[in-house]
């Protein structure tokens, strides 16, 4: 069975109330519920986590990568500041997709740079919470292909 870990960084626990004009009205629990239904229908084992702590995200990435799971990560502001997250993805050879709810390239200049993007297989941004759905659709066949090569 393919496994995917959806990892969420700082302030994403505030979805639904934080800047609804930018991030929408769906809560993080709502995102999780949507993805669980989608994953179950596809036969995908889903782990869904959120933390406001960088070191905890590093641990989550390491756990996922070492278990051979795919990673969908919305690192929030850590995207633009954390070499540690980048190194964790690369260090465990995690198959990872960076996700953002808003279009970070249409926002403040400091949001245009990602430390993680160079070690991720792709970046999806600007589609609201559907960015998570798109990432799940993209990562599952890649994980299946990786598993087939290993077999």
């Amino acid at each position: 069975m393919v496994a995917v870990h959806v990892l969420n960084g700082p302030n994403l626990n505030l979805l639904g109330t934080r800047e609804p004009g930018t991030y929408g009205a769906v809560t993080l629990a709502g995102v999780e519920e949507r993805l669980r239904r989608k994953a179950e229908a596809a036969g995908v084992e889903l782990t869904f986590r959120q933390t406001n702590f960088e070191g905890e995200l590093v641990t989550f990435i390491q756990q996922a990568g070492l278990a051979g799971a795919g990673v969908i990560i919305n690192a929030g502001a850590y995207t633009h500041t954390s070499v540690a997250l980048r190194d964790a993805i690369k260090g465990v050879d995690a198959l990872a997709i960076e996700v953002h709810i808003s279009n970070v390239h249409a926002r403040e200049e400091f949001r245009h740079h990602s430390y993680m993007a160079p070690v991720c297989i792709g970046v999806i941004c600007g589609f609201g919470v559907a960015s998570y759905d798109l990432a799940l659709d993209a990562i599952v066949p890649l994980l299946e292909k990786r598993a087939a090569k290993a077999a």
Side-chain angles (χ1 to χ4, degrees):
M1 175 181 267
V2 170
V4 176
H5 290 217
V6 180
L7 307 178
N8 295 278
N11 298 311
L12 287 158
N13 55 306
L14 300 176
L15 276 183
T17 59
R18 176 187 176 214
E19 299 177 64
T22 300
Y23 299 109
V26 178
T27 65
L28 192 60
V31 172
E32 180 178 4
E33 184 180 320
R34 282 169 60 128
L35 285 183
R36 286 208 181 279
R37 283 195 307 267
K38 188 176 186 97
E40 186 177 316
V44 172
E45 179 185 330
L46 190 74
T47 299
F48 197 95
R49 294 174 163 171
Q50 187 277 329
T51 183
N52 290 319
F53 300 100
E54 182 180 23
E56 199 165 22
L57 269 177
V58 168
T59 299
F60 293 165
I61 292 166
Q62 291 174 354
Q63 289 170 344
L66 292 172
V71 173
I72 295 171
I73 183 165
N74 184 342
Y78 290 141
T79 302
H80 321 293
T81 64
S82 181
V83 174
L85 295 180
R86 178 212 179 277
D87 288 351
I89 292 167
K90 186 170 182 164
V92 294
D93 194 27
L95 196 61
I97 296 177
E98 179 183 324
V99 167
H100 299 283
I101 294 167
S102 68
N103 179 354
V104 293
H105 302 288
R107 297 183 65 195
E108 303 93 338
E109 182 72 28
F110 72 87
R111 295 186 195 276
H112 298 183
H113 179 265
S114 166
Y115 280 99
M116 297 184 312
V119 296
C120 288
I121 56 170
V123 178
I124 299 172
C125 68
F127 295 97
V129 295
S131 294
Y132 288 92
D133 297 87
L134 295 168
L136 189 63
D137 289 341
I139 204 165
V140 169
L142 296 173
L143 289 166
E144 291 170 341
K145 184 176 179 181
R146 186 185 239 193
K149 280 185 180 178

